[in-house]
Every structure is written in C-alpha cells, then in structure tokens.
C-alpha cells in the first residue's frame, strides 16, 4: 500500500485503534497504542511514580517491572507466590493496604510461571484497592480467552495491557495497547512520546487484525500443543506447573538442562528462585516439541 516512508506515522494510531477497539470490544477512546506493551508499562510507572514511591507485584513475575521501577527510583515491593507458584490475592491485598503503593502490577497469565488468576480474584483485588492504579498485564491473555477489559468503566483505577507480540506473532514489530476508561487514558496520553509506533508496525498490525480467524486458529493450536507437551514432559518425570500461556514452567530431572539443550541447538529459559532451578519452555510446533522431547529422552 503506497508506503510513504518520508512522512511521519500517524501519532494517534487512529486506524489501528479503531481495529483494536473492535477486537477488544471497547471504544477507540479507551485505547492508547505503544511500542510494545513494555513501553506502555514503563510510561505509566514514569507518569505515576516519584522517587521512593512504591509499586507492588507478585514475585516471580516479568523481570522488567523491577527494572522500570529502578530506572525512575520507585521501590519495587514483591509479594512471594506460594510454593507451587500459585498466587494468593489476599496476601497481595494485605501488602497493598500496608505499604499504600502508587501502582499494583498483576501479570495474568503470569510470566514466567504461567499461573492464571481467576477473574473473581481480580475483582476482589479491585474492590479492595482504591488508592493505587491497578495494572493487569494481559500479554498472554489471548491464549486464555479471558480478560478484565470489560471492567474498565466500572473501576476508574484499572488499566489493562495487551500486546500483539504473543498470540499475533508480531513481537518484532513492537505493538502493544493500554486499555482503560477515557479519563485515565487522556491523563496518560499527556506523557506519550509522539510517533511512538512506526508506520510499518501500524500497517502490519492492521492487516493482522483483519485476519483474526488465522490468529484464533493459531491460539487453538498452541493450547492443544501445550497440553500435549505438558503430558509428555510429565511422562519423563518433569514437574510441570499449570499454564494458561504459550509456554510451560517446569522442574527438570536432568541437571543443567539449559546448557545441555543449548548444545543440541534448542533454546529454553532458565530461572533461579529460592536456590532452585526452573525452566520455561515455549510451546513450539508439533515437530519442534517432538525434537525437544527426544533430546531430553537421550539426556535421561
């Protein structure tokens, strides 16, 4: 489509926001588009937090939350997950009421553990916390098929983050959306950098949203393959935690699994929590998952 690269992109992402509003079932005015949802989370933390202000979240969760807090001098307060990486909303609420943070961040499904917080738990959080901005980071929510976007006009302190990086497979284009009530979006818009989403990314994202049936069939496939991968890993004595995402979080009977798989050209993520090693394995294609399982069998 006659791409005019010498002209600045639409700073308001007007057409893209219209498409997104249909997909997320809200109004265009409820959406602010960013250079990935990471830019948006950083933008909000910067807008709300002065030095020494507090931000509360569960740990472990997306590591960049802590980084963004460090960058603006805010204090990151982590609430530990349970042993099985489930998250107790009551513990979170208790900590929030104790430290009175500017922002509460909840990643759902959680990255890297895949844990899913049920919607009624999030509603309980919203009903108990009025003085903090509550960000629900739904980067992986497309795989879950559940969301709290429908609550943005009921709670004036709720912001939902979404991205086209995961289920839409457009991670390299960096397109994310912040969804909230009109007042809140207007307020945050004041600190948005102009032209933050380039023209190519806007065009590609619009095209992707025009082909939503392809995205939906991909989501169905990933969910099916995740369950299959989980079963196969359990058969070879892995501890596999429940996941509502496009990855599984595991404990391995093989020592140094990350390094050993890397030698076979397979890349997974390695995490160390409380002195224990865990791995996050992204769901691949049927063939990739098979190769993974076969390589692990050889290591066993």
């Amino acid at each position: 489509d006659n791409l005019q690269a010498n002209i600045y992109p639409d700073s308001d992402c007007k057409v893209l926001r219209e498409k997104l509003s249909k997909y997320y079932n809200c109004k265009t005015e409820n959406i602010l588009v960013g250079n990935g949802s990471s830019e948006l989370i950083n933008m909000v933390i910067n807008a709300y937090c002065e030095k020494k202000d507090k931000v509360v979240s569960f740990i472990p969760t997306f590591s960049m939350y802590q980084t963004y807090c460090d960058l603006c001098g805010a204090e990151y307060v982590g609430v530990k997950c349970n042993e099985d990486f489930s998250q107790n909303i009551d513990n979170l609420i208790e900590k929030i009421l104790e430290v009175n943070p500017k922002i509460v961040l909840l990643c759902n499904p959680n990255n890297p553990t895949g844990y899913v917080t049920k919607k009624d738990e999030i509603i309980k959080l919203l009903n108990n916390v009025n003085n903090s901005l509550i960000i629900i980071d739904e980067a992986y929510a497309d795989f879950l098929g559940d969301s709290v976007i429908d609550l943005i006009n009921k709670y004036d302190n709720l912001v939902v983050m979404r991205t086209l990086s995961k289920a839409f497979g457009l991670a390299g284009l960096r397109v994310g959306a912040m969804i909230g009530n009109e007042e809140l979006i207007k307020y945050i818009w004041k600190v948005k950098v102009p032209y933050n989403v380039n023209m190519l990314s806007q065009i590609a994202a619009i095209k992707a949203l025009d082909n939503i049936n392809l995205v939906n069939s991909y989501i169905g496939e990933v969910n099916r393959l995740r369950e299959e991968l989980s079963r196969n890993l359990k058969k070879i004595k892995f501890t596999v935690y429940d996941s509502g995402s496009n990855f599984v979080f595991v404990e391995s009977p093989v020592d140094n699994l990350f390094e050993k798989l890397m030698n076979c050209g397979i890349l997974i993520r390695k995490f160390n929590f409380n002195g224990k090693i865990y791995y996050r394995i992204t769901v691949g294609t049927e063939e990739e998952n098979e190769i993974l399982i076969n390589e692990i069998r050889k290591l066993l």
Side-chain angles (χ1 to χ4, degrees), residues 63 95-96 110 130 163 200 239 256 279:
S63 60
K95 181 57 79 179
I96 293 163
N110 190 35
N130 313 316
T163 182
L200 280 172
T239 303
N256 302 326
Y279 302 96

Side-chain angles (χ1 to χ4, degrees), residues 55-68:
V55 174
V56 170
S57 188
F58 279 113
I59 45 174
T61 191
F62 184 42
S63 60
M64 290 306 290
Y65 300 159
Q66 167 98 53
T67 306
Y68 297 142

Side-chain angles (χ1 to χ4, degrees), residues 96-108:
I96 293 163
L97 298 178
E98 180 197 320
V99 305
N100 194 24
K102 276 283 171 72
I103 294 176
V104 176
L105 269 160
L106 178 66
C107 186
N108 191 40

Side-chain angles (χ1 to χ4, degrees), residues 21 64 77 90 140 172 208 227 230 240 251 254 268 279:
S21 71
M64 290 306 290
V77 180
D90 292 331
Y140 295 91
E227 295 315 308
S230 298
V240 182
E251 281 177 73
V254 181
I268 61 173
Y279 302 96

Side-chain angles (χ1 to χ4, degrees), residues 12-270:
D12 294 349
C13 298
K14 191 170 177 297
V15 180
L16 176 51
R17 280 167 55 235
E18 279 163 14
K19 299 274 181 193
L20 285 167
S21 71
K22 289 192 179 74
Y23 182 61
Y24 294 132
N25 198 18
C26 62
K27 295 199 309 211
T28 316
E29 291 77 12
N30 295 129
I31 300 178
L32 193 160
V33 181
N35 195 356
S37 52
S38 304
E39 183 205 17
L40 297 168
I41 294 165
N42 191 21
M43 193 191 292
V44 175
I45 291 175
N46 272 328
Y48 277 78
C49 294
E50 311 263 314
K51 275 199 172 23
K52 299 276 186 285
D53 279 340
K54 293 181 176 62
V55 174
V56 170
S57 188
F58 279 113
I59 45 174
T61 191
F62 184 42
S63 60
M64 290 306 290
Y65 300 159
Q66 167 98 53
T67 306
Y68 297 142
C69 288
D70 293 346
L71 285 171
C72 76
E75 187 188 329
Y76 184 81
V77 180
V79 176
K80 278 198 170 163
C81 296
N82 299 327
E83 281 288 299
D84 62 354
F85 295 106
S86 60
Q87 297 170 338
N88 185 325
I89 267 314
D90 292 331
N91 291 353
L92 188 70
I93 293 169
E94 193 182 318
K95 181 57 79 179
I96 293 163
L97 298 178
E98 180 197 320
V99 305
N100 194 24
K102 276 283 171 72
I103 294 176
V104 176
L105 269 160
L106 178 66
C107 186
N108 191 40
N110 190 35
N111 173 18
T113 63
Y115 179 77
V116 175
T117 302
K118 295 271 188 295
K119 193 165 182 173
D120 54 359
E121 295 274 278
I122 297 176
I123 291 170
K124 184 192 217 177
L125 172 68
L126 289 160
N127 286 338
N128 281 284
V129 178
N130 313 316
N131 297 331
S132 312
L133 181 71
I134 296 180
I135 301 176
I136 307 296
D137 182 356
E138 294 188 342
Y140 295 91
D142 295 286
F143 299 105
L144 191 61
D146 202 5
S147 173
V148 291
I149 292 172
D150 60 334
L151 301 176
I152 55 169
N153 293 314
K154 191 174 174 194
Y155 298 95
D156 58 7
N157 61 333
L158 169 66
V159 172
V160 182
M161 298 292 181
R162 297 291 290 245
T163 182
L164 302 192
S165 292
K166 317 294 179 195
F168 283 76
L170 300 178
L173 292 175
R174 314 303 306 125
V175 179
M178 176 191 307
I179 302 158
N181 67 73
E182 284 182 54
E183 285 307 301
L184 202 52
I185 293 298
K186 258 191 210 132
Y187 176 72
I188 295 168
W189 200 289
K190 291 175 182 165
V191 296
K192 180 183 90 67
V193 179
Y195 314 120
N196 58 332
V197 181
N198 74 67
M199 194 184 286
L200 280 172
S201 293
Q202 290 189 43
I203 292 169
I206 289 162
K207 281 265 189 285
L209 288 155
D210 284 337
N211 291 286
I212 214 72
N213 51 337
L214 291 177
V215 177
N216 287 336
S217 68
Y218 170 71
I219 290 168
E221 183 71 352
V222 168
N223 285 337
R224 181 182 72 78
L225 289 171
R226 181 189 64 233
E227 295 315 308
E228 190 181 279
L229 178 63
S230 298
R231 280 196 300 275
N232 288 331
L233 286 166
K234 282 174 184 166
K235 278 182 200 159
I236 52 178
K237 300 290 182 276
F238 271 64
T239 303
V240 182
Y241 295 93
D242 286 344
S243 170
S245 184
N246 65 338
F247 56 76
V248 288
F249 192 67
V250 303
E251 281 177 73
S252 164
V254 181
D255 283 340
N256 302 326
L257 182 69
F258 174 81
E259 292 77 7
K260 288 172 181 168
L261 285 178
M262 186 115 119
N263 291 336
C264 333
I266 297 171
L267 200 57
I268 61 173
R269 292 283 305 277
K270 176 181 174 178

